[in-house]
Amino acid sequence: MSAVDSHHHHNHHHTNHHSNGNGTMVYDSNGNDEIKQEIKEEPMLSDDDVTFGEMMKKKEKKSKKNKRKAPESGEEEDEESEDDYKPEKRKSSSKNGKKKAGGSEDEESEDDYKPEKKKPKKNQKKKKGKGSSEEDDDDDYSEEDVKPPKKDTTTSTASDETSMTEEEKRKERKRLKKEKKRLEKENRKVKEEEEEAGGDAYSDEIKKEMMEQEEEDSDDDDDGEKKKKKVLCCCGFLACLLSCCTFSKNKKKAKAEKNKPSTSTPAKSTKKEPSKKKVKEEQEEIWEWWKEEKKPDGVKWNTLQHCGPLFAPAYIPLPDHVHFKYNGHRMKLSLLAEECAQFYAGVVNHEYSSQVQFNNNFMKDWRKLMTAGEREKITDLAKCDFTHIVEYQNEQRAIKKAWTKEEKDKVKAEKAQEVVDYGIAIIDGHKEKIANFRIEPPGVFRGRGGHPKMGFIKKRIVPEDVIINCGKDSVIPKPPPGHKWKEVRHDNTVSWLCSWTESVLGQNKYIMLNASSQLKGSKDYEKYETARRLKKKIGGIRERYIADWKSKEMRIRQRATALYFIDKLALRAGNEKDVDESADTVGCCSLRYEHIKLFESAKLQETDKKEKEFVVEFDFLGKDSIRYFNRVAVEKRVFKNLKLFMENKKAGDDLFDRLDTATLNEHLRSLMDGLTVKVFRTYNASITLQEQLIKLTNPADNVAAKILSYNRANRQVAILCNHQRAVSKTFDESMAKLEQKIKDKKAEVKEAEAALKSARGAEKEKAQKKYDQKKEQLKKLKIQRTDKDENKQIALGTSKLNYIDPRITVAWCKKYEVPLERVFTKTHREKFRWAIDMVNTEEEEYVF
């Protein structure tokens, strides 16, 4: 690689030249500066497009053009730039007695560095520069035009016009060195001024000098043209080199920038760009609705716009090689019947398929969707063979599991686009996330706890089943082509966006906004504020229902007794249901004779040593068919009332036969505005957590121990609300791994202890630090084991998300310096953004 090529390639990594195509040159130092200078005739190409030699070639062609068309323009331009910065002038050689018309230009160029020119040989072919990125395709240009001129020691100096003495060269180098120092000093000042922009710039002096040399080049005669071009090449290159010297000081800083602007376009800003995640968070709108004025009672929103629901994809028929068999014979099913066959194939290996109720219900519904011919042939589910369909479904699951990263990313991108298209609603001018914009696909209803309707087929929901709710002035969502909505409403007293009736239970289903939305958040806020108001009146309410225990009216006595259990045990009210149409789940008001047992004295727990008087045993299925089993000691009057209520009754009879949820809530609203049975549950959950946190939290504990105290307090709430769960199938395995970790950590502690005993001098402090660290890690693992074991059958999340005032948790974290993310998940923090803001902006400690 030639010297010039070598310098050029080195310079290319530091300084990029970009043209914007309109006669303007942009000097871009690796994306860190943006200095523009106008070029008189044509813009230079970027270094990314041409080599340094080709740039010199273009300048030479331009000078020839200028000489032919405007011989005087160069003189005029040079006269205008007389006052600009010019290098120090020295007297020309004695043999150079003549001056040209533009005398000052000639004097100035004569003093520039002029290395001896090597005469090219005749018929010399052009050469490809070693290391060059592309070949020169112009026959008029040789390698000599891009190489720095070498001194020809074999050829005598013919005249002083083509040579410089050694003394002149030495003085010129000294002058350039001094000039370099001066420019570096000035560029340091420029750097300080542009520190915030993060880039360096070419100095004005360098730009002016380069412009002057370009203008001088256009006025040279033919004989001195090549000589002048080489002088310009050297001076221009030195000017670029001087600029690169200042740029190199910030090279490390520039490399450290992760999001560096592309070198193909000028950088508009040289500040480090934030990461995509950070930008996303900054762009996300946070609607602080809790700081705005409350809407009138009953009004949920003023404007509402959304894109409607996303329907389930159309059914894809089974391939031809997958067969359904009936009584050993292949049978081609209609599309609707085939789709239902796939539903059943999905539960063939599940316990549902072994339950008579499930199979009977499925067969009953499946036959309704068959053609007449299919109904005539398919009469017994036991003769149906779904083997091939099950195998096909397993194959599809295996294929999906083996997807490449690109395939997974494609599906992920499609899901993300669905969220963009359907997952956002605009309410009162603010964007809000929609919780469940996808309508549930058709399938088989499974139910919980032996639901009487399990096995029935959930039919496909179509637009004709859906009611749309949106603002009057908003654009009504468009249904899929060929369909229309069942109805379009503009009801701002409800918070749902879409509604339909599902086919199995006949229940209304809704599309609602996300839990973090204003509608949900404001509803939660009102719920917890109502519970706080109950705290102030609970004493009077309790006095009232205690007095009613002795009422002569049986209706009032039953109401007071039920209210005692709702208050003391946080029982749900229990809605009236038709037992034949739904699972046999009950609440307080719907308890039956068989759900309780009375004991004059009994142990509350098997491990108790002493018995308690007046014990009531509850045993029934609560919400989601979760069993509620509890023994509690009650007041003597309550015990007597229960005995009275059970007289002359048998299994199946209601315990509170003169009470229902509606009349109970009506009574509660007369005691306090907005009071319902649910408010008691919220109040008891919140007050229990607050009391337990005060009792269990030790300020001297570390964060792990404080988290254990919080979970224990939360556990008491979960037990109160009967938030149970089945022990995980992987619980024993995970506990075994945790035990092994504890065992290994104990060994590390012993090893660290031994090292500490044998350590001396400066090593002792280091060994002590390691020992303390290992001991702390062991303590954390033991706390984790205790926490995990205690929570194996208790679900802490439900009460935390729905029943406990979140401000209690935020205030506790703030007081005891516990990171909120250790207690609240991301979902919790988004849902309770209002609570976090309220507590953190208040100086006083929040008390429920």
Side-chain angles (χ1 to χ4, degrees), residues 10-37:
H10 174 72
N11 191 37
H12 176 70
H13 294 290
H14 297 285
T15 307
N16 296 316
H17 310 276
H18 304 288
S19 172
N20 61 8
N22 58 3
T24 302
M25 177 62 63
V26 177
Y27 296 86
D28 183 4
S29 298
N30 211 4
N32 291 325
D33 60 346
E34 183 182 10
I35 296 179
K36 300 180 180 180
Q37 179 168 337

Side-chain angles (χ1 to χ4, degrees), residues 775-809:
K775 204 170 180 181
E776 184 67 20
Q777 289 172 351
L778 177 61
K779 185 179 179 182
K780 287 181 179 180
L781 286 172
K782 287 182 176 179
I783 291 172
Q784 186 180 347
R785 177 181 61 186
T786 303
D787 200 20
K788 193 176 186 70
D789 183 62
E790 291 178 354
N791 289 329
K792 63 182 177 182
Q793 287 184 289
I794 301 295
L796 301 181
T798 307
S799 56
K800 195 188 298 184
L801 196 65
N802 298 306
Y803 294 103
I804 297 171
D805 187 338
R807 291 170 290 186
I808 299 172
T809 300

Side-chain angles (χ1 to χ4, degrees), residues 690-838:
Q690 184 167 273
E691 290 172 351
Q692 289 293 316
L693 286 177
I694 294 171
K695 178 181 176 182
L696 298 173
T697 307
N698 182 0
D701 285 343
N702 59 18
V703 173
K706 289 175 182 175
I707 294 296
L708 178 61
S709 298
Y710 179 87
N711 286 342
R712 281 177 169 166
N714 193 8
R715 190 176 303 114
Q716 293 303 313
V717 178
I719 292 170
L720 175 70
C721 297
N722 195 41
H723 294 151
Q724 301 180 37
R725 64 177 179 183
V727 179
S728 171
K729 294 178 181 178
T730 59
F731 176 78
D732 292 336
E733 183 182 346
S734 61
M735 281 297 287
K737 289 181 180 179
L738 189 55
E739 289 288 356
Q740 185 60 43
K741 285 183 180 180
I742 292 173
K743 187 177 179 181
D744 295 341
K745 192 60 66 176
K746 283 181 179 178
E748 291 178 15
V749 170
K750 287 182 179 179
E751 186 180 335
E753 186 179 12
L756 176 61
K757 290 179 180 178
S758 61
R760 297 289 182 273
E763 291 295 324
K764 194 170 184 69
E765 185 180 349
K766 187 177 180 181
Q768 180 69 49
K769 186 177 180 181
K770 185 176 181 181
Y771 172 72
D772 293 340
Q773 185 183 29
K774 297 293 181 184
K775 204 170 180 181
E776 184 67 20
Q777 289 172 351
L778 177 61
K779 185 179 179 182
K780 287 181 179 180
L781 286 172
K782 287 182 176 179
I783 291 172
Q784 186 180 347
R785 177 181 61 186
T786 303
D787 200 20
K788 193 176 186 70
D789 183 62
E790 291 178 354
N791 289 329
K792 63 182 177 182
Q793 287 184 289
I794 301 295
L796 301 181
T798 307
S799 56
K800 195 188 298 184
L801 196 65
N802 298 306
Y803 294 103
I804 297 171
D805 187 338
R807 291 170 290 186
I808 299 172
T809 300
V810 178
W812 179 82
C813 288
K814 181 181 178 181
K815 181 178 180 179
Y816 293 104
E817 298 180 345
V818 176
L820 189 59
E821 56 270 18
R822 294 291 301 274
V823 181
F824 275 169
T825 64
K826 184 181 178 182
T827 301
H828 287 131
R829 296 195 299 273
E830 289 179 352
K831 178 181 172 70
F832 299 133
R833 190 180 283 124
W834 58 271
I836 297 169
D837 183 73
M838 285 181 180

Side-chain angles (χ1 to χ4, degrees), residues 217-233:
D217 182 58
S218 65
D219 282 314
D220 286 339
D221 55 19
D222 289 335
D223 293 333
E225 187 174 1
K226 289 185 179 180
K227 175 187 70 176
K228 282 286 194 176
K229 180 56 65 180
K230 290 180 185 268
V231 172
L232 177 61
C233 175

Side-chain angles (χ1 to χ4, degrees), residues 6 50 190 193 216 279-280 348 369 540 550 584 626 635:
S6 175
V50 295
V190 174
E193 293 173 357
E216 289 169 4
V279 170
K280 187 177 179 181
V348 162
L369 300 175
K550 300 177 183 179
D584 186 18
I626 295 175
E635 298 291 334

